[in-house]
């Protein structure tokens, strides 16, 4: 469809699941679709898909919601945990796709007070949250941080998602 309509898309895989699916080719969840590294490479090579970072394995709600800092976690420990996870994803993108994503898509759109600072220190030029809104892009490079996006939840079908845009 992207080729047919000459549109572009951004795909932000969770690398842990990409790795699992690449190794098994089995559907891991009936409510979530995942791609193999081969499929991501094909998409990237099409010229219609840009691949961005969505974490290695912090897209969960088990003890931590996305990359949000836990209440019992020191700032140093928080920085260590998310830096390790996000850097692992970056390394995998470099290894499998020969790319270094420049945008980070927040899992669940959640963040903490120091998230943006940490992501900037990891050389991300753009961050994307889950606030549903039109973005204002200006010549100021800071306008590329905390961009809004439209979130599709597990219980939302495609028709419901597209109804948001009418």
């Amino acid at each position: 469809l992207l080729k047919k309509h000459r549109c572009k898309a951004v795909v932000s895989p969770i690398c842990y699941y990409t790795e699992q699916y690449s190794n098994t080719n089995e559907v891991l969840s009936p409510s979530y679709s995942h791609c193999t590294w081969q499929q991501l490479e094909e998409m990237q090579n099409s010229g219609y898909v840009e691949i961005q970072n969505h974490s290695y394995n912090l897209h969960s709600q088990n003890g931590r919601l996305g990359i949000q800092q836990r209440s019992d976690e020191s700032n140093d420990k928080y920085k260590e945990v998310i830096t390790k996870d996000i850097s692992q994803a970056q390394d995998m993108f470099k290894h499998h796709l020969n790319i270094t994503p420049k945008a980070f898509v927040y899992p669940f759109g959640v963040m903490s007070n120091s998230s943006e600072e940490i992501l900037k220190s990891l050389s991300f030029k753009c961050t994307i949250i889950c606030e549903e809104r039109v973005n204002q892009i200006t010549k100021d490079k800071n306008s590329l941080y905390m961009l809004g996006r439209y979130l599709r939840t597990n219980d939302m079908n495609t028709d419901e998602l597209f109804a948001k845009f009418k």
Side-chain angles (χ1 to χ4, degrees), residues 14-26 28 37 56:
I14 305 159
C15 290
Y16 172 82
Y17 291 108
T18 298
E19 196 73 6
Q20 295 298 309
Y21 190 50
S22 294
N23 291 334
T24 65
N25 277 330
E26 293 179 19
L28 302 171
W37 288 113
Y56 173 75

Side-chain angles (χ1 to χ4, degrees), residues 87-147:
S87 296
Q88 184 175 359
Q90 291 291 83
D91 291 345
M92 293 186 88
F93 287 123
K94 184 68 174 167
H95 173 76
H96 290 283
L97 304 175
N98 199 32
I99 61 168
T100 303
K102 297 293 182 200
F104 182 78
V105 181
Y106 280 97
F108 309 106
V110 297
M111 64 190 69
S112 296
N113 291 336
S114 59
S115 302
E116 285 290 291
E117 177 185 321
I118 294 167
L119 291 166
K120 287 178 182 179
S121 77
L122 294 173
S123 300
F124 286 99
K125 305 296 182 205
C126 174
T127 58
I128 303 168
I129 60 176
C130 287
E131 185 177 310
E132 295 184 348
R133 62 178 164 84
V134 174
N135 297 300
Q136 299 284 328
I137 308 297
T138 68
K139 290 182 181 184
D140 179 1
K141 64 183 179 180
N142 288 318
S143 71
L144 295 175
Y145 292 96
M146 296 181 62
L147 295 174

Side-chain angles (χ1 to χ4, degrees), residues 69-85:
Q69 186 171 358
R70 295 186 336 204
S71 61
D72 64 344
E73 191 170 47
S74 71
N75 290 339
D76 288 340
K77 182 64 177 173
Y78 171 67
K79 182 176 181 178
E80 176 188 329
V81 167
I82 71 164
T83 296
K84 180 181 177 184
D85 180 274

